[in-house]
Amino acid sequence: MKCFSVCPHDCPDACALEVEITDNVVKRIYGSKDHPFTQGVICNKTAHYKEVIYSDKRVLYPYKRVGEKGTNDFKRISWDEAIETIVSKWHGILKDYSSDAILPYSYAGTEGVLNNASMDRRFFNKLGAAKLMRTICSAAGSKGFELAYGKALGTNPINTVDSKLIVFWGVNALVTNLHQAVFAQKARQNGAKIVSIDVEKNETAQFADEFYHINPASDGILALGIANIIINENLYDSEFIENNTYGFDSFKELVKKYTPHIVCKQTGISEKQLNKLSIEYANTHPSFIRIGNGLQHHLNGGFNTWAISLLPALVGAWKFKAGGAIKSNSGYFPINRNLLERPDLLLSKPKTVNMVELGKALSDKENPIKSIYVYNSNPLVVAPNHNLVKRGFQREDLFVVVHERLWTDTTMYADIVLPATTFLEHEDLYTSYWHNAIAFAQRAIEPLGESKPNIEVFSMLALAFGFKESCFKDNAYDLASQALDNDYFKSNNITLNRLLREKFIVLESIDYPYKNLAYTKSGKIQFKNKEAIDLTGKDLPECTNFSTSYPFVLITPPNKYFLNSTFAHIEHLRKKAQAPYVKINPIDAAQYGVKDNDDVEVFNEQGSCILKAVVCEDVKEGVLVAKGLYWADDYINKQPINTLTSDKTSDIGGGAVFFSTGVELKKL
């Protein structure tokens, strides 16, 4: 038997899949050839997903902790006992504390619309639990792009096969956006040039025709330097700017400060390189920029993105179907969040917790968190300032519930562990934050053991709490219909029944999203935005670098064999990924007496991490690159890389600043 499904992971490609099944057992997973974006190609990780389903680390039944936290000492219990225990503990907290002493913690362990954010939001709204700011990945860059355009909507990626200049900026597309690289290769076969701008000579830098190796966090400065040259050389599109933008004269004054000499000193590229890149970008049409997540994970990440996102407006790239930029295309999908999440059920004003600052929240004694419910996330690996987070989870007075597919670093500190389904064991609605196809996937196999999807578990909790609203009885099909209940989907005949028949639907293409209209209040693309004054005190994307008192800046980009912490338990992928390592420039290595494969300690005031040294030219002097995210046991000293990363937040959006981490190095 063959079933249709969609990869649920936190990846823009949202690949359409074909799944071969025999006797309720998954035999093979491969890409759908009929899907216009997947085109039969999927990554090595998803192709091996059955090793997640049938892993010996799979959680198949509810468990209750009987030993000390962190010792993996659990006893199997029934679902009835698990729900009764949770409800009893929470009733006690509600009696002795406010309802926002209970914290939900989730992110994008699944990007399925329904199991990501529907019944869970309803339940926690009704309960009055603390509100979680889900900012750990894209918040800074999304806000930066929205300051320019008002909405997460850019170029239709399928049109980029006709681009003539493709710039991968702060994105290792071969690892994190594979199909955009596939489209870029097709464009190159049609005469396009591919450029990579990054802090590491990674897979995409090697794939590109030209690579610009810049210093960490200098992306916005580079963008303003490019703008300086384009304006000085009178290569900007004055007609497009006049008709479609706001604040250009002020922006023009701003970029005068970003002279080639200053920009090259800050970015680390030569004036010859800067001039070549700027002139080429201005004169090549259509040009397209894929703005990555990497550059936003700095203290200046939001303004970095705002500055870069204005370059297509400067040269009029939006006039072309294959021109412009993509930061995120989630704006293609007007999901009815009010019906899905029911914010009207929230009758109080609970406190808000930024997920980046989880360790701080769990350490707050004045407004204590007394229980945390973790789902769709593995915070003991992915959250910054690991040791502070770990100390929080070790609290005996913190009641921890973890709903998971696998025994992870986080389940070790749980009081109750609940078994979660994989995406092939439940139904869900799928969109993308890159392409414009929407899909509904039915369960391909029956759930293993006693595993249950998020939707069902939160319905059970609502019933146990005695919540009377009928919305807590909705199933996945009800929720999907509600998600599609708006004028846009109705007018385009996009219904659940149609999705069940056709599997996926490509939404109406928006070929020229900013030709005549931006989604800002002014209806113009904003070179200048007064809203930014409330955020930073500045109304222009003035970019500065960050400094650290440590000799090295640590960058922790994705590992091509993992996706965040997912897949890191699969043995053959871990072998391909090798032991956790850190890339060191040869000059730095010589100074510290480090050779290939030496054990080195990377450390700062938060802790230390022991890694294998890889000495290479892939990184600049003063920069270390350690790819993640391995689980703690894979490290020599059992300290994961996020032991070192800061829980400070970005300039705008409250985003994580993983890459603005200062560290010291020593050979062991």
Side-chain angles (χ1 to χ4, degrees), residues 112-348:
V113 172
L114 310 181
N115 282 286
N116 176 277
S118 63
M119 193 65 72
D120 59 318
R121 305 301 205 268
R122 293 178 181 185
F123 175 78
F124 287 117
N125 281 336
K126 176 69 175 178
L127 190 67
K131 302 291 286 185
L132 184 72
M133 290 176 60
R134 293 173 170 85
T135 57
I136 201 165
C137 182
S138 60
S142 295
K143 189 61 182 176
F145 193 86
E146 288 170 15
L147 285 175
Y149 298 101
K151 190 175 182 180
L153 185 63
T155 310
N156 185 337
I158 208 161
N159 292 332
T160 61
V161 295
D162 295 319
S163 302
K164 293 304 177 188
L165 178 66
I166 295 176
V167 181
F168 289 114
W169 198 322
V171 55
N172 188 2
L174 285 172
V175 172
T176 62
N177 192 185
L178 177 61
H179 293 86
Q180 186 62 74
V182 171
F183 290 166
Q185 176 62 13
K186 291 181 179 180
R188 178 154 57 187
Q189 291 167 352
N190 293 329
K193 186 174 188 176
I194 300 172
V195 169
S196 170
I197 301 171
D198 219 311
V199 300
E200 178 202 6
K201 190 174 184 181
N202 53 35
E203 292 88 346
T204 301
Q206 296 172 37
F207 165 75
D209 300 302
E210 286 184 359
F211 172 50
Y212 293 87
H213 201 172
I214 65 171
N215 293 327
S218 67
D219 306 81
I221 293 170
L222 176 57
L224 296 174
I226 292 170
N228 174 290
I229 291 174
I230 289 173
I231 291 170
N232 285 343
E233 296 293 329
N234 201 30
L235 296 174
Y236 58 95
D237 190 326
S238 57
E239 183 179 355
F240 181 88
I241 290 169
E242 175 69 25
N243 293 332
N244 298 282
T245 72
Y246 168 80
F248 177 68
D249 288 340
S250 298
F251 179 78
K252 191 174 180 181
E253 285 299 311
L254 170 68
V255 302
K256 286 180 180 179
K257 298 190 296 184
Y258 294 85
T259 63
H261 175 73
I262 291 173
V263 168
C264 291
K265 184 178 180 181
Q266 292 287 315
T267 62
I269 66 173
S270 68
E271 291 193 27
K272 181 179 179 181
Q273 286 179 303
L274 176 62
N275 193 65
K276 183 176 188 293
L277 176 61
S278 304
I279 301 301
E280 198 162 45
Y281 179 72
N283 287 333
T284 308
H285 302 291
S287 60
F288 165 72
I289 302 175
R290 179 62 170 106
I291 305 173
N293 280 339
L295 56 93
Q296 71 176 341
H297 287 157
H298 286 288
L299 290 163
N300 59 1
F303 270 34
N304 278 343
T305 308
W306 186 11
I308 295 166
S309 70
L310 290 170
L311 293 177
L314 185 65
V315 299
W318 295 112
K319 295 190 299 185
F320 304 92
K321 281 177 67 174
I326 296 175
K327 170 61 180 76
S328 168
N329 274 341
S330 57
Y332 272 119
F333 305 96
I335 298 297
N336 192 330
R337 296 288 175 187
N338 283 334
L339 277 183
L340 268 189
E341 300 180 17
R342 294 295 301 273
D344 58 294
L345 294 172
L346 179 60
L347 302 179
S348 60

Side-chain angles (χ1 to χ4, degrees), residues 324-578:
I326 296 175
K327 170 61 180 76
S328 168
N329 274 341
S330 57
Y332 272 119
F333 305 96
I335 298 297
N336 192 330
R337 296 288 175 187
N338 283 334
L339 277 183
L340 268 189
E341 300 180 17
R342 294 295 301 273
D344 58 294
L345 294 172
L346 179 60
L347 302 179
S348 60
K349 290 186 178 180
K351 68 184 175 189
T352 298
V353 173
N354 187 327
M355 69 186 306
V356 175
E357 300 175 314
L358 177 60
K360 293 176 182 175
L362 296 180
S363 305
D364 187 347
K365 295 181 180 179
E366 291 187 11
N367 300 288
I369 299 296
K370 302 300 290 184
S371 179
I372 184 170
Y373 185 107
V374 178
Y375 59 110
N376 295 345
S377 187
N378 185 10
L380 265 295
V381 175
V382 304
N385 201 348
H386 165 80
N387 283 333
L388 187 61
V389 173
K390 183 177 177 180
R391 286 196 292 273
F393 273 82
Q394 288 173 326
R395 284 171 38 204
E396 279 296 330
D397 68 327
L398 180 72
F399 179 63
V400 179
V401 182
V402 180
H403 187 201
E404 248 293 359
R405 303 160 307 147
L406 304 169
W407 292 101
T408 67
D409 289 26
T410 303
T411 60
M412 289 175 63
Y413 298 92
D415 295 285
I416 297 291
V417 178
L418 304 175
T421 45
T422 66
F423 75 101
L424 293 177
E425 297 165 286
H426 59 237
E427 302 83 8
D428 218 322
L429 180 71
Y430 294 95
T431 60
S432 166
Y433 52 92
W434 174 66
H435 64 62
N436 61 327
I438 189 169
F440 187 87
Q442 296 177 283
R443 67 172 58 177
I445 59 172
E446 291 303 307
L448 270 63
E450 295 179 7
S451 57
K452 296 181 184 296
N454 292 335
I455 295 167
E456 185 176 347
V457 176
F458 285 110
S459 293
M460 292 168 69
L461 286 168
L463 178 65
F465 262 94
F467 296 165
K468 302 299 185 184
E469 290 81 358
S470 61
C471 67
F472 291 110
K473 297 178 182 178
D474 291 339
N475 61 29
Y477 297 95
D478 299 323
L479 292 166
S481 296
Q482 292 160 20
L484 300 174
D485 186 4
N486 65 32
D487 292 341
Y488 173 82
F489 289 125
K490 289 176 181 177
S491 63
N492 287 277
N493 189 30
I494 297 168
T495 64
L496 176 58
N497 285 336
R498 185 181 166 198
L499 283 172
L500 289 171
R501 290 195 310 271
E502 300 180 21
K503 300 177 182 176
F504 64 86
I505 299 169
V506 179
L507 304 189
E508 180 182 356
S509 176
I510 304 174
D511 290 329
Y512 305 95
Y514 304 109
K515 182 179 180 183
N516 298 311
L517 176 71
Y519 299 92
T520 57
K521 291 178 182 178
S522 67
K524 303 276 189 178
I525 298 169
Q526 303 271 16
F527 281 101
K528 180 179 182 179
N529 193 324
K530 294 177 182 178
E531 181 188 344
I533 295 176
D534 296 332
L535 301 171
T536 66
K538 301 174 182 178
D539 59 1
L540 290 163
E542 183 175 351
C543 293
T544 56
N545 214 328
F546 85 99
S547 60
T548 174
S549 59
Y550 287 95
F552 293 97
V553 175
L554 175 67
I555 306 294
T556 53
N559 190 311
K560 69 178 179 181
Y561 298 105
F562 311 148
L563 203 163
N564 298 321
S565 69
T566 305
F567 301 104
H569 71 288
I570 296 178
E571 188 63 28
H572 74 92
L573 291 179
R574 287 170 64 236
K575 286 181 178 178
K576 288 182 179 180
Q578 303 175 2

